[in-house]
Amino acid sequence: MKMIDTINERLKELQGEVEEIVANQSLNLTQKNTKMQPLVEEKKVLEHTLVYLEKIKNTNYEGYCSKT
């Protein structure tokens, strides 16, 4: 699924953004927290979505017809 690849790529980008914020010595802890909070929230949503997409990808869907 293309969306799984897209989400994994974004998760890598988020990690890099967080590392940049942490390494930035010109920001105090409050500023770092303010900048990182939306990134953390985005990461949670993406990870949650990824779990559901993986489940869909790994499910074998078969059509069932009832015989009457």
Side-chain angles (χ1 to χ4, degrees):
M1 294 179 117
K2 185 175 181 181
M3 186 53 67
I4 290 173
D5 295 336
T6 302
I7 290 173
N8 282 322
E9 190 62 35
R10 180 61 184 145
L11 287 170
K12 289 177 192 174
E13 291 172 1
L14 284 170
Q15 183 63 35
E17 291 176 33
V18 167
E19 289 173 4
E20 281 182 33
I21 292 168
V22 170
N24 187 342
Q25 297 297 318
S26 67
L27 298 174
N28 65 39
L29 290 177
T30 301
Q31 292 169 319
K32 288 181 181 187
N33 186 49
T34 300
K35 288 183 174 281
M36 284 196 311
Q37 190 61 38
L39 301 177
V40 170
E41 294 294 325
E42 181 180 354
K43 181 181 178 197
K44 287 179 188 178
V45 170
L46 290 174
E47 288 174 337
H48 189 73
T49 303
L50 191 58
V51 168
Y52 281 106
L53 290 174
E54 289 287 349
K55 181 181 176 192
I56 291 168
K57 179 182 175 186
N58 295 322
T59 299
N60 183 17
Y61 292 98
E62 296 179 18
Y64 295 102
C65 297
S66 61
K67 296 180 182 180
T68 53

